[in-house]
């Protein structure tokens, strides 16, 4: 007999905000709720999608869809209740998983928490296709050049571009079943590519692609600006940054690419929400410079991280620019960023010096 799942405990250990953000929905604080663009309809103009951490629920005031974390996964993945629970289980940390099971299972779940060889091969092939496409696509290259990014950093970070309608054929040519792309979320049931029309940035660890995030290059009110591979959102850029004692933490993908281009150790939240696992990972650094966006959500996120990380965290003020990525297009961008970090460091030291 299958184990009975304690769904209440499951939802406690997989907070609704983490689940939603893990599917690429960028959330920003709005009173007691978190606000974002609804993934279930063309959410143009003012965002309509609200997440309520206190009640572990979500609701869209435009398409009138709501529910809990399990219901969200059911709808966004097109699976039934058991399928949604399985996805939440496999995305959860091993510690605590037993708390959700009222009796020990006689068999392990059929879906594995760790990706198998076929899934890894699929992700590697997708990154290869997208990267090669980027290097031959003048529009995508022009867009990235306009963002101040040089070809060298695009090649170093294996940045790609998904032109659309190419992945399934490429996977078959490489001998990889498109079923893996369906399972991972790279392909939808209708065959449409998740990342179509987007610049794609992979997270690579130990030579393996573990996550992808895509940014549209064409303004479109009917499509979200960012889409990510389903599953928990990692800190972008972990492997090169983890070798350092000091790191700069930014919000966006292009902020992170900019700092990598300037040879600054950096990590990206890919949003403003930091999962508990991310905060715990950041504790390994002696100093974390919080160079988040200068808007109100960025300031709130920086304040929350400051409280969570304590004296190791130092907030960096970027002055009259919105984010680090905006500095990439300015000739004095590296110098301005270095000065902002130095001023933050000196400001952090000032009370101790005065004492």
């Amino acid at each position: 007999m299958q184990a009975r799942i304690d769904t209440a405990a499951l939802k406690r250990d997989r907070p609704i905000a983490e689940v939603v953000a893990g599917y690429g929905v960028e959330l920003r604080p709005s009173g007691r709720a978190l606000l974002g663009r609804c993934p279930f309809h063309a959410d143009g103009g003012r965002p309509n999608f609200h997440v309520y951490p206190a009640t572990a629920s979500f609701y869209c005031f435009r398409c009138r869809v709501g529910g809990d974390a399990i219901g969200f996964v059911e709808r966004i993945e097109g699976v039934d209740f058991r399928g949604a629970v399985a996805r939440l289980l496999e995305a959860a940390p091993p510690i605590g998983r037993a708390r959700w099971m009222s009796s020990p299972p006689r068999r392990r779940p059929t879906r594995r928490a760790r990706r198998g060889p076929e899934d890894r091969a699929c992700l590697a092939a997708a990154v290869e296709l997208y990267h090669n496409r980027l290097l031959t696509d003048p529009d995508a290259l022009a867009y990235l050049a306009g963002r101040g990014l040089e070809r060298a950093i695009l090649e170093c970070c294996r940045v790609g571009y998904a032109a659309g309608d190419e992945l399934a054929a490429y996977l078959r040519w490489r001998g990889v079943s498109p079923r893996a792309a369906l399972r991972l979320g790279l392909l939808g049931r209708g065959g449409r590519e998740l990342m179509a029309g987007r610049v794609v940035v992979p997270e690579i660890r130990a030579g393996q692609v573990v996550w992808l995030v895509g940014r549209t290059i064409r303004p479109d009110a009917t499509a979200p600006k960012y889409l990510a591979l389903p599953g928990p959102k990692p800190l972008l850029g972990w492997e090169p940054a983890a070798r350092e004692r000091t790191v700069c933490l930014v919000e966006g993908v292009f902020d992170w690419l900019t700092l990598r281009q300037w040879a600054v150790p950096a990590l990206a939240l890919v949003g403003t929400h930091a999962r508990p696992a991310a905060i715990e990972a950041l504790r390994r650094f002696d100093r974390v410079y919080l160079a988040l966006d200068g808007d109100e959500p960025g300031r709130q996120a920086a304040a929350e991280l400051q409280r969570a990380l304590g004296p190791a965290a130092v907030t960096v003020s970027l002055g009259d620019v919105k984010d680090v990525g905006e500095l990439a297009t300015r000739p004095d961008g590296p110098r301005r960023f270095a000065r902002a970090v130095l001023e933050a460091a000196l400001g952090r030291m000032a009370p101790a010096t005065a004492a």
Side-chain angles (χ1 to χ4, degrees):
M1 295 177 60
Q2 294 184 344
R4 296 185 61 185
I5 304 299
D6 184 346
T7 55
L10 173 58
K11 288 184 286 186
R12 282 197 302 272
D13 285 5
R14 293 291 286 128
I16 182 70
E18 291 186 19
V19 173
V20 171
Y23 282 90
V25 180
E26 184 174 349
L27 298 173
R28 297 180 179 274
S30 178
R32 295 185 178 182
L34 298 169
L35 182 63
R37 299 198 177 277
C38 181
F40 306 126
H41 79 279
D43 198 355
R46 183 176 180 178
N48 296 282
F49 190 79
H50 290 69
V51 173
Y52 302 98
T55 58
S57 63
F58 73 92
Y59 187 76
C60 176
F61 286 88
R62 180 70 179 272
C63 64
R64 303 184 188 280
V65 168
D68 57 15
I70 297 174
F72 179 86
V73 176
E74 284 183 273
R75 181 171 289 271
I76 202 166
E77 295 248 20
V79 296
D80 60 10
F81 176 85
R82 290 183 180 275
V85 168
R87 281 157 173 75
L88 288 169
L89 283 170
E90 70 182 25
I95 297 174
R97 186 170 295 177
R99 296 199 303 273
W100 305 332
M101 300 181 178
S102 56
S103 61
R106 299 179 69 177
R107 294 184 179 182
R108 294 176 63 84
T110 56
R111 288 176 59 86
R112 297 179 181 177
R114 295 180 182 275
R115 293 191 174 112
E118 188 176 58
D119 289 350
R120 294 196 296 270
C122 178
L123 287 170
V127 169
E128 181 178 74
L129 168 67
Y130 295 155
H131 183 60
N132 290 336
R133 168 58 65 189
L134 172 66
L135 300 182
T136 60
D137 192 292
D139 290 341
L141 287 172
Y143 171 80
L144 292 168
R147 299 294 301 262
L149 297 173
E150 300 169 1
R151 185 180 178 112
I153 196 62
L154 302 179
E155 293 183 356
C156 174
C157 296
R158 303 289 293 169
V159 177
Y161 175 67
D165 300 324
E166 295 181 335
L167 181 60
Y170 187 78
L171 292 175
R172 285 192 290 269
W173 178 72
R174 289 295 306 269
V176 178
S177 172
R179 290 177 303 182
L182 283 168
R183 187 165 57 244
L184 291 165
L186 284 170
L187 287 177
R189 292 293 174 185
R192 178 170 173 78
E193 293 181 37
L194 174 71
M195 297 294 176
R198 298 174 182 275
V199 169
V200 181
V201 180
E203 172 67 358
I204 300 175
R205 300 186 183 182
Q208 300 286 338
V209 180
V210 299
W211 193 67
L212 299 174
V213 60
R215 203 278 190 196
T216 183
I217 67 171
R218 296 181 179 87
D220 183 355
T222 65
K225 185 183 295 185
Y226 285 95
L227 279 179
L229 201 67
K233 179 178 62 175
L235 286 169
L236 187 64
W238 178 259
E239 198 164 77
R243 297 191 290 265
E244 309 292 338
R245 298 178 61 184
T246 297
V247 71
C248 288
L249 185 68
V250 294
E251 281 188 38
V253 171
F254 289 100
D255 303 330
W256 175 73
L257 287 170
T258 297
L259 293 186
R260 286 295 310 274
Q261 183 168 275
W262 296 343
V264 176
L267 291 167
L269 286 171
V270 193
T272 56
H273 178 68
R275 299 172 58 239
I279 293 174
E280 188 60 33
L282 290 169
R283 297 187 196 280
R284 69 175 291 151
F285 297 100
D286 294 341
R287 183 63 51 86
V288 179
Y289 289 101
L290 306 175
L292 305 187
D293 291 6
D295 55 13
E296 182 58 26
R299 289 192 291 271
Q300 289 184 16
E304 291 172 5
L305 285 164
Q306 183 80 62
R307 288 191 292 269
L309 297 173
V314 177
T315 299
V316 177
S317 173
L318 298 176
D320 61 348
V321 298
K322 177 181 180 292
D323 54 31
V324 172
E326 190 175 322
L327 290 174
T329 61
R330 303 194 179 192
D332 63 343
R335 180 173 56 82
R336 286 187 60 176
F337 181 75
R339 184 171 66 243
V341 172
L342 178 61
E343 289 174 354
L346 292 175
R348 173 71 180 83
M349 295 168 57
T353 303

